[in-house]
Amino acid sequence: DQQVKQNSPSLSVQEGRISILNCDYTNSMFDYFLWYKKYPAEGPTFLISISSIKDKNEDGRFTVFLNKSAKHLSLHIVPSQPGDSAVYFCAASEGPSGSRLTFGEGTQLTVNP
Amino acid sequence: EAQVTQNPRYLITVTGKKLTVTCSQNMNHEYMSWYRQDPGLGLRQIYYSMNVEVTDKGDVPEGYKVSRKEKRNFPLILESPSPNQTSLYFCASSGWVRGETQYFGPGTRLLVL
């Protein structure tokens, strides 16, 4: 039972354009959401997060949007750069054990020069 | 430098030969966790530990053991490895603060023949 789903295994965009990565979840108890980025031969690194009390969080070129009623979140990267090419994982946590994360399958983003 | 280290980075073994993957963090984090990454499945939690001598099963604990005798170390033990444990393994750690980001090690690629 995949509680966090990223339905697009891959996404390709042109440099300078917007990248939109999507994530859906089924567990209504999730109240904290994170995005991680992973380069080949490295471990995932934290990118941006959002609490369920917000619907938007912005950090430079990265913005995460949360739609609780739809159980959907998205990561926007504007403008996209070739160095953004990586696998992006959506993750969620619930309750007081904030460190226990449930991950999605990942989306491979390729930004073409 | 704050980091999570794993050893070995690559390992080829045969079915049934016990092995241990070590994990160490230098950030004095209470929380540590092991994940495996498989194609199309994302990152799945194997075991986690909230502090010394406190461990619990994650989503896919079968065939694995862990121990947390010291705060900085969290080894993953495969008593009798099988081919279905061929995977990419990540150790992670974080402080015990709600939503605090997890720091991941570089990964251990395991092949069980």
Side-chain angles (χ1 to χ4, degrees), chain A residues 2 31-32 34 36 38 41-44 46 89 93-106, chain B residues 9 31 35 37 40-43 45 48 57-59 88 90 94-96 98-102 104-106:
Chain A
Q2 193 77 16
D31 60 356
Y32 200 82
L34 307 90
Y36 280 79
K38 184 184 178 304
E42 295 182 11
F46 170 74
F89 289 101
S93 70
E94 62 172 287
S97 300
S99 292
R100 177 133 192 232
L101 298 177
T102 301
F103 284 84
E105 304 94 326
Chain B
R9 294 289 311 276
Y31 186 93
Y35 296 87
Q37 182 189 354
L41 296 175
L43 290 153
Q45 191 178 53
Y48 64 97
K57 297 177 181 178
D59 300 315
L88 179 57
F90 291 101
S94 71
W96 196 237
R98 183 76 176 93
E100 183 169 335
T101 183
Q102 290 193 28
F104 282 80

Side-chain angles (χ1 to χ4, degrees), chain A residues 1-10 21-26 34-36 38 44 86-92 102-109, chain B residues 36-44 90:
Chain A
D1 176 30
Q2 193 77 16
Q3 298 185 68
V4 178
K5 282 197 71 62
Q6 296 175 252
N7 290 311
S8 298
S10 63
L21 294 91
N22 294 302
C23 178
D24 297 294
Y25 61 96
T26 58
L34 307 90
W35 285 93
Y36 280 79
K38 184 184 178 304
V87 176
Y88 289 78
F89 289 101
C90 170
T102 301
F103 284 84
E105 304 94 326
T107 297
Q108 171 69 58
L109 172 66
Chain B
R36 58 179 289 174
Q37 182 189 354
D38 301 290
L41 296 175
L43 290 153
R44 294 179 294 166
F90 291 101

Side-chain angles (χ1 to χ4, degrees), chain B residues 22-58:
Chain B
T22 65
C23 173
S24 183
Q25 50 95 3
N26 64 0
M27 294 167 278
N28 202 35
H29 284 161
E30 290 82 10
Y31 186 93
M32 297 186 75
S33 182
W34 276 102
Y35 296 87
R36 58 179 289 174
Q37 182 189 354
D38 301 290
L41 296 175
L43 290 153
R44 294 179 294 166
Q45 191 178 53
I46 303 170
Y47 268 94
Y48 64 97
S49 168
M50 292 188 285
N51 216 323
V52 175
E53 302 293 1
V54 181
T55 64
D56 207 348
K57 297 177 181 178

Side-chain angles (χ1 to χ4, degrees), chain A residues 23-77:
Chain A
C23 178
D24 297 294
Y25 61 96
T26 58
N27 187 344
S28 57
M29 298 300 291
F30 287 146
D31 60 356
Y32 200 82
F33 304 89
L34 307 90
W35 285 93
Y36 280 79
K37 179 168 73 172
K38 184 184 178 304
Y39 293 117
E42 295 182 11
T45 55
F46 170 74
L47 186 58
I48 192 169
S49 63
I50 188 167
S51 164
S52 61
I53 63 173
K54 295 186 176 182
D55 54 19
K56 176 182 174 181
N57 188 28
E58 195 171 348
D59 183 2
R61 296 186 297 113
F62 303 92
T63 303
V64 56
F65 295 92
L66 175 62
N67 183 334
K68 289 186 292 294
S69 60
K71 294 191 176 68
H72 176 84
L73 64 155
S74 61
L75 174 68
H76 293 211
I77 306 173

